[in-house]
Amino acid sequence: MVIDSSCKSFSCLSNERLDLIKEVGNIGAGHAATALSTMFNKRIEMKVPFVNVLTFQEALEITGGPENTVVGLYLRVDGEISGNLFCLLTVEQAEKMASEMLEKQGADYTSLLDRMSISVLKEVANIILGAFISAISDLTKLPMYPTVPSINVDMAGALISFGLIELSQASDVVLVINTSLFEAEYNQTVIDCNLLFILDNPSYEKLFHAIEVSDK
């Protein structure tokens, strides 16, 4: 299957294919919730994720617009399915996570981009992004090799543009998985994250071929 640049909504993909991507989201969020429960020492649960394939501009809008400042957890994925994977958080969420984790380690939070805060956020990035990569790789049986994650605070448009520039071929669409993880006891959101997977163009076809869902 080739996704063309006019793809703007669920109608671009069959319900079966969207359901399979949603299942990837469920599995990945479940893995992330389990790992974060250990990390935060409290029960973290997940909500069913929202999944869609959007144009670049539409993806920017759901992050609050291209000029909205966000914290981007980012890594490159190589292998049979390749592309750039982002988890975009609000500044407030990232600060809260960094502060809570540093407090557990007996350290004081001073700045979102100091060495200790970056280390904590990279650990969170490894958990969240790694969980979704593992879910996709397990489902497709295709090897995927993530790089070490990086952290950046910038406007959403600048962060996503960087991901597009890095690709060997410009991608017209973005796979978006919005996932919400919350503290079960108080029903408080821990992470409400937009996962954006900007795939190399050949990887879209590989992904759906690997999960053996035909266009009907």
Side-chain angles (χ1 to χ4, degrees), residues 134-197:
S134 294
I136 294 172
S137 185
D138 289 347
L139 181 64
T140 62
K141 309 302 182 187
L142 295 174
M144 299 172 67
Y145 307 107
T147 62
V148 174
S150 62
I151 312 294
N152 204 354
V153 180
D154 205 337
M155 292 185 293
L159 288 173
I160 299 175
S161 293
F162 169 76
L164 288 170
I165 291 167
E166 276 217 328
L167 294 178
S168 58
Q169 287 184 302
S171 182
D172 295 312
V173 291
V174 182
L175 175 62
V176 179
I177 302 175
N178 174 269
T179 188
S180 183
L181 303 173
F182 63 97
E183 186 179 348
E185 185 175 357
Y186 302 106
N187 197 29
Q188 292 181 338
T189 299
V190 176
I191 295 174
D192 188 12
C193 167
N194 284 307
L195 279 170
L196 277 61
F197 201 0

Side-chain angles (χ1 to χ4, degrees), residues 86-106:
F86 296 84
C87 176
L88 300 185
L89 303 170
T90 66
V91 173
E92 291 76 16
Q93 281 188 86
E95 287 178 332
K96 183 179 178 181
M97 279 193 297
S99 177
E100 185 171 346
M101 286 308 303
L102 289 173
E103 183 180 345
K104 288 182 182 298
Q105 297 171 11

Side-chain angles (χ1 to χ4, degrees), residues 1 11-17 212-216:
M1 181 195 79
S11 63
C12 296
L13 296 177
S14 66
N15 289 333
E16 290 87 356
R17 287 188 166 182
E212 297 179 347
V213 178
S214 62
D215 278 326
K216 293 184 180 178

